[in-house]
Amino acid sequence: MNLELSITEQCNLRCDYCYYRDSHAARKAVMSDEVMEKAISLALRKAAELNHNFLNITFFGGEPLLRMDIIRKTVTFARKLVKSRRNELPKKFKLLFTVNTNGTLLNDDVIGYLKKEGFSVALSLDGPRNKQDLSRKTVDGRGSFNYIAPYIPALVDLNAVALMVITPKHVHGFSDAVK
C-alpha cells in the first residue's frame, strides 16, 4: 500500500511551470502531527486488513525537505506503530519511505539520514545545468542546479530516480539531457 503525505505547500523554488505558481505566496499550509499520525494509523490498518505486505510512505509538497522535522517524526512514529502492530501484519511486512524533492536542500546530514533509513528518492531534475536552470529558479530568480550538483554522486548511490518536466523550451536537446 502507498500513502502520500503532502507535508507542506511551501517551496523554496519558483518553477515557471509549477501548478502553485500563481498562488505560491499564499500557500503556507503544513501537515500537523495529528493528521500525520491519523493518516499512518489508517493506512497501516488498511494494509493489515487487505493483507498487503508493505506500506510505502511518500513525502511530498511543496518541498518536503523544508520539513525535515516532520519527516523524522513520521519515520519514528511509523516504525513504532509497525512494531506495536507486528502481530496484525503479514510476516514479511515492510515499511518503506520515499521523498519527492527538488534536491536544493540536500546536505550531508539529510543524505546520511535518507541512507540510514533506506529512503527511495525521487529527484525533480530537468537535466544538466542549462536545462535545469531554464525553469527551476530560486525565489530570487537564480538557477537551482548548483545546489543539487554536489549531491548527485550521493543520489546515484541512493539509486535516486530523476523526474523531468519537459516543456517546449526543454525539448531541444532532450536526449542529451537524459544522458
Side-chain angles (χ1 to χ4, degrees):
M1 176 168 290
N2 291 299
L3 173 65
E4 185 173 288
L5 299 177
S6 184
I7 61 174
T8 183
E9 292 180 329
Q10 298 169 346
C11 188
N12 60 325
L13 293 185
R14 296 297 181 267
C15 304
D16 62 17
Y17 44 65
C18 181
Y19 45 87
Y20 285 163
R21 181 181 66 236
D22 295 331
S23 63
H24 203 94
R27 293 186 171 272
K28 306 259 188 258
V30 295
M31 181 175 284
S32 69
D33 292 353
E34 179 184 7
V35 168
M36 174 271 291
E37 290 174 4
K38 286 182 178 181
I40 292 171
S41 295
L42 175 62
L44 195 59
R45 189 174 76 242
K46 288 296 182 184
E49 287 173 11
L50 297 170
N51 202 34
H52 286 197
N53 62 359
F54 72 93
L55 172 60
N56 181 63
I57 300 172
T58 299
F59 297 94
F60 194 75
E63 173 49 47
L65 295 185
L66 284 168
R67 295 302 315 274
M68 274 305 295
D69 59 323
I70 192 91
I71 291 173
R72 290 174 190 271
K73 193 177 290 186
T74 301
V75 169
T76 299
F77 176 80
R79 289 201 187 285
K80 285 180 182 174
L81 192 61
V82 166
K83 188 175 181 179
S84 72
R85 295 186 180 175
R86 183 56 71 188
N87 62 337
E88 303 168 27
L89 299 166
K91 288 184 185 203
K92 294 185 178 182
F93 185 83
K94 291 182 181 179
L95 182 60
L96 308 167
F97 300 101
T98 301
V99 63
N100 282 49
T101 179
N102 63 37
T104 60
L105 298 174
L106 292 170
N107 59 43
D108 292 339
D109 180 58
V110 171
I111 291 286
Y113 181 79
L114 298 176
K115 190 174 191 174
K116 180 184 101 176
E117 296 297 341
F119 268 72
S120 294
V121 177
L123 175 68
S124 297
L125 182 68
D126 295 345
R129 181 182 337 276
N130 66 324
K131 295 298 179 183
Q132 174 75 6
D133 290 349
L134 284 173
S135 298
R136 294 189 187 265
K137 307 243 186 228
T138 61
V139 174
D140 62 1
R142 289 178 288 139
S144 58
F145 186 82
N146 285 342
Y147 296 97
I148 303 163
Y151 298 99
I152 290 175
L155 291 163
V156 169
D157 289 344
L158 287 169
N159 293 314
V161 173
L163 306 172
M164 297 175 76
V165 174
I166 306 302
T167 69
K169 62 184 176 182
H170 290 89
V171 171
H172 180 72
F174 172 69
S175 61
D176 293 331
V178 171
K179 289 177 192 171

